[in-house]
Amino acid sequence: MRWTATTRSSPPVSVQRDATCGSVCGGAPPHDGGYLRGMGAHRVAIGQEALATRLARHAEEGSLAHALLLTGVPGRGGLALTLALAKQLHCQQSNAASCGTCPSCLQHDQLQHPDLHFTFPVAKPAGKDKALSSDQFDVWREILTEKGPHVDMHDLRERMALGNKQPYISVHEAQDIQRRLSLTAHAGGWKVQVIYGAQFMRVDTANKLLKLLEEPPKKTLFVLLADNTEALLATILSRTQIISVPPIPAEAVRRQLEAEGGAEEAIADAVSLCDGDLAEARRLMQTDAAAEFDMFVEWMRTCYAQDGRKAAALADRFHDLGREPQKQFLAYALHMVRQCIVGNYGAKAAVRLRAAEAGFARKFAAFIHHGNVVDMQSILERAAREVAGNVYGRTVFLDLSMRMMELLRRPK
Ligand SMILES: [Zn+2]
């Protein structure tokens, strides 16, 4: 047996080690549309070399806990780290690193290893009585093969064409996991069960998994991935070893975006705005930054001028955008307001704005102060909740504009 059994008294993974492990590569992989093809999946834990090395070392020593919870937004690379770890566990040649050439490693590169299982949030398809990720596995495999493992729920929602449906992890998934893990591993080694977006587990789903997380079958590794620990039950947290995945260093994001191609200025903006989240950085590269900014400026000028007629016309335009772009715009407006207040309170170095936005923000910031900023944030957040809750877009934006008119004129 290449691996010693895992124990519940495993040492914490936070043991510091040098990032010298040969299983980790710091170089940016080519982005040729076949992200995982022909390369070790471990090579794509961009900017997370130190953590990848620590996990690899614990796997090699057999000191991994049997249930890990990797926290941090998906764009930081929790899934990339997980794939690397699973590949190493399944490799037939080496237990210190995946060889990249054995049949197991090749199956991993295609996301087709029979003992690597994925559960992720899905919506119930029309005409079906269960929401199961196994029904959507082709979509999952397709998006990971194409975009690599730094995909987040925005990407998945779009690919699964969810529209306004909210994805979740149903109790039927928990039953599926129980059934799968009760069977013998195909290759006779480790079974790895990945739960991506674990914060989307329903309470009954989580409760059903508790026993399995407490006492999993032999040679089973659970890896739960969640944005944060807040939405998870304490009983789940207590059964997992929590590992925080840090933001990807700016320099590593920059190298990756440069390898994928793009204008220098757009890359610089994306790097400074993405907060170490590669999925967000890629989205920033794609969004029409100018259109978003122009719309914000026009809206703010309209509100400041207290032009009710124009505000009504703008509300119609916002309405026609649809729900996801509305949410995105409100998030952007919130971001702009926050950056102004950060700048006003002397933390100029902490301001995260694109070059074109900074000029406007310098003037606009004069209208944002301690007397209105809290209310401004709260009406934007409320509007975002209303949009998410399916309130009629025109009503939300008209109401928001009327309140904004009052707030912008409020004295300091
Ligand atoms: Zn191998």
Side-chain angles (χ1 to χ4, degrees):
M1 186 165 69
R2 291 187 294 119
W3 291 76
T4 55
T6 54
T7 63
R8 283 197 60 75
S9 57
S10 314
V13 176
S14 57
V15 175
Q16 289 297 322
R17 293 189 188 276
D18 295 334
T20 51
C21 175
S23 70
V24 181
C25 168
H31 192 64
D32 61 356
Y35 211 96
L36 297 173
R37 197 185 316 131
M39 68 178 68
H42 62 274
R43 293 174 66 96
V44 294
I46 298 159
Q48 302 292 4
E49 290 78 11
L51 184 49
T53 302
R54 262 155 40 205
L55 288 169
R57 196 67 65 99
H58 279 278
E60 183 186 356
E61 292 169 353
S63 59
L64 276 176
H66 63 251
L68 306 176
L69 168 60
L70 269 55
T71 63
V73 290
R76 293 181 181 180
L79 185 57
L81 291 161
T82 306
L83 293 178
L85 188 60
K87 189 175 183 182
Q88 181 188 350
L89 285 171
H90 286 145
C91 178
Q92 294 162 1
Q93 295 291 335
S94 157
N95 72 341
S98 46
C99 72
T101 53
C102 74
S104 265
C105 283
L106 298 177
Q107 285 172 324
H108 264 273
D109 290 346
Q110 301 296 324
L111 289 176
Q112 280 180 328
H113 194 282
D115 297 316
L116 174 63
H117 306 290
F118 296 101
T119 296
F120 47 91
V122 291
K124 195 157 59 179
K128 292 226 177 192
D129 60 345
K130 291 176 187 172
L132 286 175
S133 36
S134 53
D135 291 336
Q136 299 281 338
F137 182 71
D138 288 348
V139 178
W140 171 260
R141 190 168 166 266
E142 179 188 277
I143 191 168
L144 290 190
T145 308
E146 193 184 301
K147 298 185 100 174
H150 295 76
V151 291
D152 63 15
M153 285 308 294
H154 292 276
D155 300 316
L156 274 184
R157 285 189 68 97
E158 196 178 275
R159 191 61 65 103
M160 293 194 285
L162 289 185
N164 290 338
K165 286 187 190 164
Q166 295 303 317
Y168 62 105
I169 297 178
S170 74
V171 72
H172 303 296
E173 294 278 13
Q175 287 160 355
D176 248 26
I177 292 171
Q178 277 178 336
R179 184 186 46 75
R180 256 197 315 261
L181 297 184
S182 68
L183 304 172
T184 315
H186 287 261
W190 284 81
K191 285 174 280 187
V192 180
Q193 171 65 52
V194 180
I195 303 182
Y196 173 97
Q199 71 270 26
F200 290 91
M201 279 193 289
R202 294 258 163 101
V203 173
D204 53 352
T205 315
N207 279 331
K208 192 138 203 124
L209 285 177
L210 287 180
K211 190 162 181 304
L212 209 51
L213 285 171
E214 178 83 30
E215 288 171 24
K218 257 176 83 180
K219 295 188 99 178
T220 299
L221 174 69
F222 271 97
V223 185
L224 278 64
L225 300 157
D227 286 17
N228 52 57
T229 55
E230 284 152 31
L232 291 171
L233 296 180
T235 42
I236 291 279
L237 299 179
S238 67
R239 284 165 173 79
T240 55
Q241 182 166 19
I242 303 171
I243 300 164
S244 168
V245 180
I248 302 175
E251 194 43 43
V253 177
R254 182 191 312 284
R255 275 203 309 270
Q256 183 60 30
L257 294 182
E258 281 169 357
E260 293 172 15
E264 201 177 311
E265 196 181 328
I267 291 176
D269 283 340
V271 169
S272 71
L273 294 177
C274 74
D275 199 17
D277 176 342
L278 185 57
E280 177 67 10
R282 286 176 176 149
R283 214 161 16 249
L284 285 161
M285 293 287 291
Q286 282 166 5
T287 50
D288 189 344
E292 197 173 45
F293 173 61
D294 289 349
M295 193 135 182
F296 179 73
V297 171
E298 189 181 352
W299 182 49
M300 281 298 112
R301 288 195 172 133
T302 303
C303 290
Y304 186 71
Q306 302 196 314
D307 186 339
R309 186 189 296 241
K310 197 156 177 219
L314 273 177
D316 285 337
R317 268 170 61 196
F318 284 127
H319 180 87
D320 292 340
L321 288 175
R323 200 149 73 129
E324 283 305 314
Q326 285 169 7
K327 275 158 73 175
Q328 210 173 315
F329 179 79
L330 289 167
Y332 177 72
L334 200 54
H335 160 73
M336 288 296 282
V337 166
R338 284 184 179 143
Q339 294 311 308
C340 287
I341 210 76
V342 169
N344 280 350
Y345 284 91
K348 300 256 186 276
V351 174
R352 290 162 49 220
L353 289 174
R354 296 181 174 104
E357 294 162 342
F360 171 79
R362 269 194 294 278
K363 288 174 266 171
F364 177 58
F367 302 99
I368 311 225
H369 46 79
H370 66 273
N372 61 12
V373 67
V374 174
D375 287 346
M376 218 175 256
Q377 292 192 48
S378 94
I379 61 167
L380 286 164
E381 283 163 355
R382 197 179 75 177
R385 281 197 302 276
E386 287 172 349
V387 167
N390 236 347
V391 178
Y392 196 62
R394 186 176 192 279
T395 312
V396 174
F397 280 93
L398 196 55
D399 184 54
L400 179 64
S401 299
M402 296 302 153
R403 288 170 196 276
M404 194 59 92
M405 286 179 192
E406 187 267 313
L407 289 175
L408 284 172
R409 295 281 181 160
R410 192 182 275 182
K412 281 189 189 179

